Amino acid sequence: MKDNLIFLGIETSCDETAASVVSVKNNKAVIHSNVISSQVEEHLKFGGVVPENAARSHAEKIDIIIKKAMTDSRCKFEDLDGIATTAGPGLLVCLMVGLSAGKTLAGFLKKPFLAINHLEGHALTPRMFEHIEFPYLLLLISGGHSQFLIAEGVGKYKRIGTSIDDALGEAFDKTAKMIGLSYPGGPKIEKLAEKGDPNFYKLPKPIFNNPGCNMSFAGLKTSILQISKKIKNKKAKENLAASFQKTINDILYKKCSNAMHEFLKLYKPKNNHFIVSGGVAANQSIRNNLRALSEKLNFSIFFPPFELCTDNGAMIAWAGIERFRLGFRDELNFEARPRWPLDMNAPFLKGAGVKH
Ligand code: KG4
Ligand code: ZN
């Protein structure tokens, strides 16, 4: 098999229209282009993503984004070894736009087609640049998901914990909205929190003392809503943002510690590797918190590069390459899967494999 495979990746599962050309050389990824068009401005008016609006916007832009990804990469369509496209989980009408584009291109160009699970894109991103062997412990924290998984191999995941209600990114976004910050709130809360007192407000930590590594973030909302109604000035908002972020960090520290112990007990791994990925993994305070825990429990921790934490086409192209190398191929009648958990055997709990 060629060792310098080159793939186009297409991503339209939520509010980013993205395409990227990635190749692999000596087992490391080379990103030739990474084009992302965010719909944030368009969704601001509604305080979040409205599926029909998002799908229309994807449809308007997808051709231009793919064309730009190809032009930026200086590759020709004929050079591609395959086309990888997100097929789920996500908003059905949005997924269908990228999927139709990817399947049409693959069919027309007679290239292999790979339907990618968006979550696997996040899960494999750090392997683009570092040799991280399976099995590893994975914390996936994004706008639609918060899960602990053991990545046993490409396409093989075991879920050991999940949020039983809101996803972590959702908690950040809702908190931001309650204190008057626009969508997406995660980066804005992080910034505001820098100036606040993290111990000013005592916020609830639901199921904190339960064994295992399930998490719950919905209870925080009620408490924050009540406080946010009473506060007016900037300082109080900074204190609330800082207290919220500290509460999240306390929950993550405890639950990641439980997950690490469980991973060691279940797998007795050769390497103690811990990957944190998804949009919320861009948060520096969370990174520092989990770095400290990893050091204490003797784990090596890996994050995606900052710009690959949130949704992008490069992670989809890379997942395509990883799957292609192992012989996976998908048919051109592959249908979008709005719900597509990485661990099909895990019991359904809200927040565990469903987006929005
Ligand atoms: O992975 P992603 O782009 O989309 C999904 O697959 O859901 O994640 C988006 C989420 C949003 O909820 C956003 O607020 C959050 O990631 N996020 C952050 C930060 N940057 C993005 N949350 C906290 N701190 C950040 N710096
Ligand atoms: Zn994502």
Side-chain angles (χ1 to χ4, degrees):
M1 178 170 299
K2 271 172 76 184
D3 97 311
N4 57 344
L5 293 169
I6 180 154
F7 261 66
L8 169 67
I10 301 171
E11 157 64 41
T12 60
S13 66
C14 189
D15 57 348
E16 256 93 30
T17 318
S20 165
V21 175
V22 174
S23 70
V24 58
K25 195 130 212 228
N26 302 326
N27 221 14
K28 294 255 163 72
V30 182
I31 300 179
H32 299 270
S33 63
N34 190 24
V35 185
I36 304 172
S37 169
S38 168
Q39 302 174 1
V40 165
E41 295 294 319
E42 292 154 55
H43 298 311
L44 271 182
K45 290 176 255 165
F46 304 98
V49 182
V50 178
E52 283 70 22
N53 296 353
R56 190 176 312 124
S57 174
H58 285 308
E60 280 165 10
K61 287 188 282 196
I62 188 75
D63 296 8
I64 308 162
I65 298 296
I66 292 175
K67 197 166 170 205
K68 183 159 169 38
M70 292 307 297
T71 314
D72 287 2
S73 73
R74 302 188 179 183
C75 292
K76 299 194 201 73
F77 280 115
E78 304 87 88
D79 301 335
L80 295 172
D81 292 295
I83 293 166
T85 308
T86 302
L91 300 166
L92 178 67
V93 282
C94 296
L95 290 165
M96 282 166 63
V97 177
L99 205 51
S100 306
K103 292 195 289 194
T104 307
L105 270 176
F108 183 73
L109 298 166
K110 299 196 171 45
K111 300 282 181 187
F113 172 73
L114 283 103
I116 303 298
N117 182 319
H118 177 88
L119 303 176
E120 180 153 53
H122 282 303
L124 299 175
T125 307
R127 280 170 51 90
M128 293 174 84
F129 312 104
E130 260 153 316
H131 184 65
I132 307 166
E133 272 177 39
F134 297 110
Y136 55 78
L137 176 66
L138 169 70
L139 170 65
L140 207 147
I141 36 177
S142 69
H145 307 271
S146 302
Q147 303 177 23
F148 287 103
L149 296 138
I150 313 289
E152 296 174 345
V154 173
K156 285 176 80 182
Y157 300 88
K158 184 178 162 57
R159 197 189 77 201
I160 58 166
T162 181
S163 166
I164 56 166
D165 39 56
D166 290 355
L168 186 50
E170 203 179 343
F172 268 93
D173 294 337
K174 285 179 178 166
T175 299
K177 197 171 172 186
M178 286 187 267
I179 53 179
L181 300 169
S182 60
Y183 174 86
K188 289 163 198 139
I189 291 278
E190 181 178 10
K191 192 138 199 351
L192 200 65
E194 279 166 20
K195 299 187 200 131
D197 173 0
N199 298 311
F200 197 88
Y201 294 104
K202 194 159 168 43
L203 300 170
K205 296 176 199 162
I207 69 169
F208 186 76
N209 288 317
N210 288 16
C213 46
N214 281 343
M215 299 169 286
S216 164
F217 302 111
L220 273 164
K221 263 183 316 206
T222 325
S223 181
I224 288 175
L225 181 65
Q226 279 157 0
I227 299 169
S228 67
K229 277 183 188 157
K230 290 184 217 134
I231 61 175
K232 294 277 172 293
N233 66 53
K234 193 157 172 274
K235 189 76 228 159
K237 288 184 181 180
E238 288 166 359
N239 289 340
L240 186 54
S243 304
F244 166 76
Q245 198 168 262
K246 180 184 180 289
T247 307
I248 295 299
N249 270 323
D250 289 349
I251 296 171
L252 287 180
Y253 194 94
K254 176 85 187 293
K255 298 298 174 179
C256 287
S257 162
N258 291 358
M260 284 171 172
H261 284 113
E262 196 158 333
F263 174 50
L264 295 178
K265 200 171 92 198
L266 287 174
Y267 287 77
K268 302 194 174 41
K270 196 159 71 169
N271 303 296
N272 299 352
H273 284 163
F274 179 37
I275 286 188
V276 185
S277 72
V280 185
N283 185 295
Q284 288 300 347
S285 155
I286 291 177
R287 285 186 178 216
N288 292 340
N289 176 42
L290 298 183
R291 269 196 201 104
L293 171 69
S294 300
E295 206 165 301
K296 187 172 158 218
L297 295 188
N298 203 20
F299 268 75
S300 308
I301 188 164
F302 303 90
F303 302 94
F306 186 76
E307 65 284 4
L308 296 185
C309 283
T310 43
D311 295 348
N312 63 84
M315 69 181 192
I316 303 304
W318 176 255
I321 289 173
E322 290 243 44
R323 294 180 71 80
F324 182 84
R325 289 193 297 199
L326 293 170
F328 290 97
R329 305 287 182 274
D330 293 299
E331 298 294 332
L332 293 181
N333 61 1
F334 198 103
E335 288 189 8
R337 298 181 179 175
R339 181 173 179 273
W340 188 3
L342 277 177
D343 178 357
M344 292 291 212
N345 297 319
F348 176 72
L349 292 167
K350 194 191 171 295
V354 69
K355 210 172 154 166
H356 308 286

